[in-house]
Amino acid sequence: MAFSDQLLETGDHIWEAQKDHPFVRELATGELDEEAFLTWVRQDYRYLLDYARVFAIAGTKARDEETMTHLLEVAHTVLDYEMDLHREFAADYGIDRAELESVQKSPTCIAYTNYLVRTAHEGSLAETAAAIYPCGQGYLDIADHMAEIAPEEHRYTPFIEKYTSDDFREAVDWMRTFVDQCGERYPGEHEAMEEAFLTCARLEHQFWEMAYTREEWDL
């Protein structure tokens, strides 16, 4: 079994919890409250800035030119394409770029991005590969699930289509291969990779909860 599949098997209960989360179920049917979706848009915009940083940091740790090039290209793609998509989502609801850039991160968003950036800085390339994997594979699997249960087209259909697109599948395929390569090259890192993977998978689930409850600071 490929190491990426081993990680998914270990985190299967987290995947199932994500699929059953009300944010996911209600987005799939089009019933999700607009403010919950906009909370996700705002917070994920801030998340993606750090996600791009993680790929850039990982690129500096890669030992071969091909991996380094691809990691840095992904960082650019996140900044150039993915964030532009979020700006389009936001613009549909009257939220401009300046507002997105001024959003304060929620406690969950801070916890997740801080963990990712710290792993990229202090951990190995293998740990970083495992840490970024739940976001990519998770969104593909959750969006596929949404597509299966969506009764018809609705206002959130573009979200589902984006994360089930051929381009996104190709990106996740590379991410999966990257995890497998690291698993093969660094067998002594398997335990650390699993810990990073499960931590980020749990934070993915918490991110849906954060958006659904419109999490804010108490003070």
Side-chain angles (χ1 to χ4, degrees), residues 40 66 87 197 211:
W40 173 82
E66 182 179 354
R87 285 190 285 268
F197 173 83

Side-chain angles (χ1 to χ4, degrees), residues 129-145:
I132 61 178
Y133 186 42
C135 180
Q137 188 69 60
Y139 267 72
L140 175 58
D141 292 346
I142 300 308
D144 275 339
H145 175 68

Side-chain angles (χ1 to χ4, degrees), residues 13-24 36 39-40 43-44 47 106-113 115 134-135 139 142 197-216:
H13 61 294
I14 305 173
W15 252 243
E16 291 306 311
Q18 289 190 74
K19 291 177 182 178
D20 195 46
H21 195 281
F23 185 101
V24 171
T39 298
W40 173 82
Q43 292 297 321
D44 205 54
Y47 167 90
S106 70
T108 293
C109 188
I110 284 181
Y112 196 176
T113 56
Y115 180 80
C135 180
Y139 267 72
I142 300 308
F197 173 83
L198 290 175
T199 297
C200 289
R202 295 186 181 103
L203 286 164
E204 282 291 324
H205 179 270
Q206 196 61 32
F207 209 89
W208 300 124
E209 178 69 9
M210 172 275 299
Y212 193 72
T213 60
R214 276 85 97 193
E215 178 187 86
E216 295 180 350

